[in-house]
Amino acid sequence: MPKAKSFLFKRFLKRTFSKLEKLIFLLKELLTPRQFIYLSCILVGMSSALAVIILKTFAHWVFKSSQRLDAFFHLPYSNSTLPIIGIVITVIITKRLLGGSIEKGTSQIMYAVAKKRGIIPRKQMFAQIITSSFTVGMGGSAGLESPITVTGAAFGSNFAQNYRLSYKDRTLLLACGVAAGIAAAFNAPIAGVLFASEVILAEISITAFIPIMISAATGALISTVVLNEDILFSFKNVEFYDFHNIPYYILLGVLSGLVSINYARTFRKVEHYIASLKFNAINKALFGAGILGVLIFFFPSLFGEGYENIKILADNHPEQMVKNTVFERFSDSSWILLLVISATMLVKVYATSLTLSAGGNGGNFAPSLFVGSYLGFTLASFLNLTGLTKLPIGNFTLVGMAGILSGLFHAPLTAIFLIAEITGGYSLMVPLMIVSSVSFAISKRFEPHSFDIKNLADKGEVFTDNRDTNILNSIDVSKLIQSDYKAISVSPNLDELVQKIQESDDAIFPVLDEENKLLGLIFLDEIRPIVFSPFKVKYTTTNEVMHPPKEIIFYDETLETIMEKFDTSGCKVLPVLQEGVFLGFINKQLILEKYRMRLKSMVIE
């Protein structure tokens, strides 16, 4: 009987979705393109918000279930054991159910926009929810916001694919899904809009803000109605800032920038080390998660997202951080408490990098807020304990979050308005602007690309804040190679060359060896006097008329680098090699034509 009911329920859902899909297709025919985009952004916003609700609820259920599991089995050192179990479960799910891999981080969204024309795999609509819930819900030291943004982007992308929308509209709806996800996660619609425009989209016009704002508002509204207040991340007790403390906020901005740089570089080092280990997936998970378990044993606040600990610090109750820990006997010593909090702040990057590189799924958004709050608390508490001044602990704890978020993700506007929205007002706007801008300036000076996309940006595979670079990097180099060339072999005369000239309209002829390696180039304009003289044709060798290329294009180079080679050499056509093998030519004029075509299609209006 239960199976029959399950079958009928699935059949009902299938019919319902089929009818809804037909209705949306009908509306697409009846509405103008712009009206359909407005409708689409509402539907994408609703879908992303529901995904956030499911993700947070499921993660909360995993957490509660793991606590019940601990109570039943009496796991030794449960706070250290549960994250290991969660990461191993995540690895098994990824391996058995998700094809062995899962894309992590917001960098994958930008890669999809830059290189995959905004197409995100359908599995990302549910894969992030399942895997991150087990990782974070069981204590992995990461955040849920990155999986939320990827899920929202996947909903927007697949909606656009399903209803056959253009690349421009697909990218816009992808951004709408991201904005709605962030808005729903924090009940911060403005931060959602700014995150989508600052981090996800490199080029956006004013008119594109309307659909993104609608999606963000939709996501925030649904989240507010459905989720309980204790699941949302919010603060109410905030003091109005004192302008006499401005120098200390500047100092916090400087420290935030430096800590952001250290966080990014340390994370990459740990990630590369774990990736270099010759372990299988399970052993690597056990190794990385095992170290994480040790860190959590000494610093329990590293368990999970850590938002409750941020609230504790903002309320200036650091003694609660050491309850049931090895440091509990020092709960009355302000200096030792400060030392423990400072150490926790510095160790957080190791906990998060181990969580993710060992096979867990999550993001660095929540860890950046965690580190920022601890930094702000540490600075204010230190200055207060020394007697130099009397700073509001809560304000510095909250503003510090904006500093690290801005420095790490290069998103100062998102940082400013996110903290302003979750604190329920704009009384900290000036300190937020100071700390975020100073942190961003310092981080940008030493780390040109944001933490999340540096590896891809170094390869030229994601958008940057340079418009020309964005468009060039979105063009597929392999499709520009002209492989219909007439090759010449080394010869004591030019008979073969003359024959090839008669058979084609080419102006350049590559000279290749038996292994298709490029030996040189022969230019028709230079040898015209020779080919019209039978005597010279017979007694002139290819070595005498060929020249080494002024520049060589390698197959894996970005178009930005290729254009620099065209400018440096002054050539209109250059040869392309892959591992020494000649592939063909690339024409500068063809690149410029592709650039103009892509410029028309890429700008979101």
Side-chain angles (χ1 to χ4, degrees):
M1 195 69 177
K3 289 185 177 180
K5 288 183 178 179
S6 176
F7 173 76
L8 291 174
F9 180 69
K10 289 179 181 179
R11 189 175 179 183
F12 169 76
L13 284 179
K14 188 175 181 180
R15 286 183 175 180
T16 302
F17 280 114
S18 177
K19 290 179 180 179
L20 180 61
E21 188 176 48
K22 289 178 181 178
L23 175 62
I24 295 174
F25 267 114
L26 177 62
L27 290 172
K28 183 185 176 185
E29 297 297 324
L30 297 175
L31 300 174
T32 66
R34 195 66 186 171
Q35 290 171 339
F36 185 73
I37 287 295
Y38 290 147
L39 173 64
S40 301
C41 70
I42 294 173
L43 296 176
V44 169
M46 293 172 63
S47 301
S48 299
L50 291 173
V52 169
I53 293 167
I54 293 171
L55 174 56
K56 283 187 171 285
T57 305
F58 186 46
H60 189 68
W61 176 83
V62 169
F63 173 74
K64 291 295 184 183
S65 298
S66 64
Q67 298 302 309
R68 286 194 290 269
L69 181 72
D70 175 39
F72 183 79
F73 288 104
H74 301 290
L75 297 174
Y77 305 107
S78 60
N79 269 18
S80 297
T81 306
L82 289 173
I84 300 175
I85 297 173
I87 292 174
V88 171
I89 291 174
T90 302
V91 170
I92 294 173
I93 291 173
T94 302
K95 190 173 182 179
R96 301 292 183 185
L97 302 179
L98 301 174
S101 65
I102 183 172
E103 297 173 340
K104 303 175 186 177
T106 54
S107 61
Q108 299 305 321
I109 304 174
M110 288 170 277
Y111 181 78
V113 174
K115 291 293 184 180
K116 296 183 178 180
R117 298 191 62 79
I119 294 176
I120 297 179
R122 187 177 294 272
K123 73 175 183 179
Q124 294 286 37
M125 292 192 292
F126 60 86
Q128 298 288 332
I129 294 175
I130 299 171
T131 54
S132 63
S133 292
F134 278 106
T135 297
V136 180
M138 298 190 75
S141 193
L144 294 172
E145 290 74 27
S146 180
I148 283 169
T149 59
V150 175
T151 302
F155 272 105
S157 172
N158 282 276
F159 181 94
Q161 292 176 61
N162 192 54
Y163 295 102
R164 304 180 185 90
L165 301 181
S166 67
Y167 165 68
K168 182 174 68 176
D169 292 336
R170 186 162 60 244
T171 304
L172 177 58
L173 290 181
L174 179 152
C176 287
V178 171
I182 291 294
F186 291 103
N187 191 24
I190 298 176
V193 173
L194 293 173
F195 184 84
S197 58
E198 270 191 310
V199 178
I200 304 302
L201 298 178
E203 301 290 340
I204 186 170
S205 67
I206 295 298
T207 54
F209 273 106
I210 298 175
I212 295 176
M213 285 191 294
I214 293 172
S215 284
T218 302
L221 178 61
I222 292 177
S223 176
T224 302
V225 172
V226 178
L227 284 181
N228 294 324
E229 181 67 17
D230 60 342
I231 299 179
L232 291 172
F233 183 40
S234 63
F235 297 90
K236 300 300 180 185
N237 299 321
V238 179
E239 300 178 38
F240 194 82
Y241 88 97
D242 184 349
F243 71 89
H244 294 99
N245 295 331
I246 293 298
Y248 302 110
Y249 285 116
I250 295 174
L251 176 59
L252 178 57
V254 172
L255 292 175
S256 296
L258 296 176
V259 171
S260 297
I261 295 168
N262 175 71
Y263 186 103
R265 294 178 179 179
T266 303
F267 186 96
R268 285 193 291 270
K269 287 178 182 177
V270 174
E271 190 176 45
H272 291 160
Y273 172 73
I274 298 295
S276 68
L277 296 175
K278 306 299 182 182
F279 297 161
N280 61 38
I282 297 296
N283 287 339
K284 188 175 290 187
L286 291 171
F287 176 79
I291 300 174
L292 171 65
V294 174
L295 293 178
I296 293 176
F297 173 77
F298 288 103
F299 305 100
S301 58
L302 297 176
F303 185 94
E305 292 180 286
Y307 284 147
E308 287 303 318
N309 296 307
I310 295 176
K311 292 182 179 180
I312 290 171
L313 288 185
D315 293 333
N316 197 17
H317 292 297
E319 68 281 355
Q320 295 182 22
M321 307 284 289
V322 295
K323 281 185 177 180
N324 302 318
T325 73
V326 295
F327 304 109
E328 186 171 15
R329 65 180 181 273
F330 302 110
S331 59
D332 294 329
S333 174
S334 299
W335 283 106
I336 294 181
L337 282 177
L338 185 60
L339 186 62
V340 171
I341 297 228
S342 302
T344 306
M345 174 190 71
L346 296 175
V347 170
K348 179 65 175 180
V349 61
Y350 294 96
T352 302
S353 55
L354 286 167
T355 298
L356 301 184
S357 57
N361 188 20
N364 282 278
F365 202 99
S368 71
L369 299 178
F370 182 98
V371 172
S373 66
Y374 277 55
L375 176 62
F377 178 89
T378 299
L379 176 62
S381 296
F382 175 80
L383 293 173
N384 288 350
L385 288 174
T386 58
L388 293 174
T389 184
K390 185 64 177 176
L391 300 177
I393 298 291
N395 285 11
F396 273 75
T397 301
L398 297 175
V399 173
M401 292 193 289
I404 300 299
L405 182 61
S406 174
L408 202 59
F409 289 94
H410 291 187
L413 291 177
T414 301
I416 292 168
F417 283 93
L418 175 64
I419 305 305
E421 287 185 283
I422 65 177
T423 55
Y426 295 89
S427 57
L428 291 177
M429 182 56 71
V430 173
L432 287 170
M433 294 172 69
I434 292 172
V435 173
S436 295
S437 59
V438 172
S439 176
F440 171 74
I442 292 175
S443 178
K444 185 78 172 176
R445 169 65 180 81
F446 296 98
E447 292 285 340
H449 300 293
S450 72
F451 157 76
D452 213 23
I453 67 166
K454 180 174 174 58
N455 290 337
L456 294 177
D458 288 343
K459 301 175 187 176
E461 293 180 338
V462 294
F463 285 174
T464 69
D465 54 6
N466 184 296
R467 181 190 184 96
D468 291 332
T469 301
N470 296 342
I471 299 175
L472 287 174
N473 287 342
S474 70
I475 300 173
D476 189 348
V477 175
S478 64
K479 294 182 179 179
L480 298 174
I481 299 174
Q482 298 172 310
S483 56
D484 56 341
Y485 54 84
K486 300 290 184 181
I488 306 295
S489 58
V490 176
S491 174
N493 58 59
L494 302 183
D495 288 338
E496 182 187 9
L497 176 61
V498 171
Q499 182 180 352
K500 293 291 175 66
I501 291 173
Q502 293 172 348
E503 294 173 353
S504 70
D505 296 325
D506 294 348
I508 303 176
F509 296 87
V511 182
L512 308 178
D513 64 10
E514 295 81 1
E515 297 178 349
N516 219 35
K517 301 290 182 66
L518 180 66
L519 302 175
L521 300 174
I522 298 176
F523 298 90
L524 180 59
D525 289 341
E526 295 181 2
I527 62 169
R528 287 186 190 277
I530 297 176
V531 297
F532 288 111
S533 169
F535 177 82
K536 292 182 179 180
V537 169
K538 185 174 182 180
Y539 293 102
T540 303
T541 67
T542 52
N543 288 330
E544 293 179 76
V545 295
M546 74 178 183
H547 302 284
K550 292 183 179 180
E551 286 282 3
I552 294 174
I553 296 173
F554 298 100
Y555 183 76
D556 58 354
E557 286 186 308
T558 65
L559 269 179
E560 184 181 20
T561 304
I562 292 171
M563 290 302 292
E564 289 177 0
K565 290 187 173 183
F566 274 115
D567 293 339
T568 302
S569 65
C571 297
K572 295 181 179 179
V573 178
L574 287 175
V576 183
L577 303 185
Q578 184 178 27
E579 297 180 355
V581 177
F582 179 74
L583 298 181
F585 294 102
I586 288 184
N587 191 309
K588 182 179 181 180
Q589 186 61 35
L590 180 60
I591 296 177
L592 295 176
E593 290 176 3
K594 292 285 186 181
Y595 173 90
R596 285 191 287 269
M597 292 173 60
R598 189 56 58 87
L599 179 63
K600 293 179 180 178
S601 66
M602 284 186 61
V603 179
I604 300 176
E605 299 175 342

